Amino acid sequence: MFSRTERLLLRPGWPEDWRALAHAMNDEGIVCNLARAPWPYTEQDAREFANRPQDQLYPVFFLTLPSGHGSELVGACGIDKCGDDIELGYWIARPHWGKGYASEAGRAVACIASVLGHTRLVASHFEDNPASGRVLEKIGFRATGAKAMRYSKGRDAEVMTHEYAMDLSALKPNDQRLAA
């Protein structure tokens, strides 16, 4: 599955992406804000992630800058099962922080989730990463007021998170709120 936003191409990861992925994820400041990525992030971790099969109901996209940028890897964004919920997750490579790519990709993935028949998304951020909460709000998530401890593989510790949810049932494919 592929998608295009104003500035990004969202595409599946390919086996040959492992080097760019390993380079982008070789940053403790990124990995410590993710629940499932280990630190240190090794070349083997990158190979496994780039080679993992795609689930059509729970796509994960590599975010790239098309055309004059040589398909540069910006980050990743996708949805996955999390218990009974569908969770949105993302990360952006440090050189691309502060450019709005996370919210642009997140809006696109929320629209894709709706088209796939999902009616609700959840997301969370670690308490010491409030910038991620601002991104979630820009995408259309609302804070639930709930907090929970969640294991961070990169930190090898339980960390307090703030939880968010987004109702997709009222979205339309050209919903202005989700337009990039």
Side-chain angles (χ1 to χ4, degrees):
M1 182 179 312
F2 293 79
S3 185
R4 180 88 162 103
T5 67
E6 182 180 335
R7 300 177 295 166
L8 298 170
L9 173 65
L10 285 68
R11 64 168 179 80
W14 298 318
E16 58 270 20
D17 288 326
W18 75 266
R19 283 186 181 86
L21 179 60
H23 176 73
M25 290 286 286
N26 190 20
D27 185 331
E28 190 174 11
I30 294 170
V31 174
C32 77
N33 288 315
L34 303 175
R36 299 179 188 155
W39 183 256
Y41 194 83
T42 67
E43 289 182 355
Q44 184 60 34
D45 295 320
R47 282 187 183 102
E48 288 173 9
F49 190 82
N51 281 296
R52 76 184 207 165
Q54 281 282 344
D55 185 323
Q56 295 302 310
L57 286 177
Y58 308 101
V60 175
F61 298 96
F62 278 37
L63 312 176
T64 62
L65 294 174
S67 65
H69 301 281
S71 195
E72 179 180 351
L73 181 64
V74 169
C77 185
I79 57 174
D80 201 0
K81 287 188 70 84
C82 182
D84 292 335
D85 293 315
I86 310 302
E87 181 178 48
L88 179 112
Y90 64 89
W91 62 268
I92 301 295
R94 189 178 297 266
H96 302 288
W97 287 5
K99 298 179 182 176
Y101 292 136
S103 54
E104 185 174 327
R107 284 189 293 268
V109 171
C111 283
I112 290 166
S114 179
V115 169
L116 291 172
H118 302 297
T119 58
R120 181 175 182 270
L121 293 177
V122 299
S124 65
H125 69 84
F126 291 122
E127 192 164 60
D128 60 357
N129 184 19
S132 192
R134 290 188 294 277
V135 168
L136 292 171
E137 289 172 350
K138 286 178 187 176
I139 293 169
F141 282 84
R142 298 291 170 248
T144 66
K147 294 183 180 184
M149 296 299 287
R150 184 166 186 181
Y151 180 72
S152 167
K153 194 171 183 180
R155 299 179 194 210
D156 192 25
E158 293 279 327
V159 183
M160 184 63 68
T161 62
H162 293 257
E163 297 182 349
Y164 291 72
M166 182 180 187
D167 180 11
L168 300 176
S169 61
L171 291 183
K172 295 172 181 57
N174 54 359
D175 188 327
Q176 290 297 332
R177 193 170 53 90
L178 292 178

